[in-house]
Amino acid sequence: MRMNEVTFDDSRPVDGYGPGFFRVGGEIVEGAVIILPSGVTVWGGYGDVARLVAAAGEIDVIFVGTGPEIAQIPRELRAALEAAGLGVEIAASPAACRTYNVLLSEGRRVGLAALPV
């Protein structure tokens, strides 16, 4: 099998995660996280909708990591994101991080909002 090194240009991939934290582009972020092309910030959780909606101009799809297990997100959150024109993909946080990294490496316009495991 031929292996190719993945490059992320100026983007910030998820390097790792653990109980209560994410490592993004080599930096530790405690708690929930939002990763967008414009930067990495702490996320206030499902009620923190405004920053995700504001990202509609810089991303096409937002991955929402629901913690250690896949779960439904609040109907209001999904409706607000879709009304802003964002595709919404829900997954457990580990799967959301992996999928985000793959699409990021392809140069896609993606974002991640994830609860810690």
Side-chain angles (χ1 to χ4, degrees), residues 54-111:
E58 60 182 312
I59 61 173
D60 299 318
V61 176
I62 184 84
F63 289 91
V64 180
T66 59
E69 303 290 329
I70 191 168
Q72 294 293 321
I73 63 171
R75 191 171 311 149
E76 299 80 19
L77 174 59
R78 180 184 285 278
L81 296 173
E82 289 176 347
L86 291 170
V88 181
E89 296 294 331
I90 309 304
S93 291
C97 290
R98 288 188 303 270
T99 307
Y100 165 81
N101 281 351
V102 168
L103 294 180
L104 189 67
S105 73
E106 295 174 352
R108 305 280 299 275
R109 293 172 20 115
V110 295

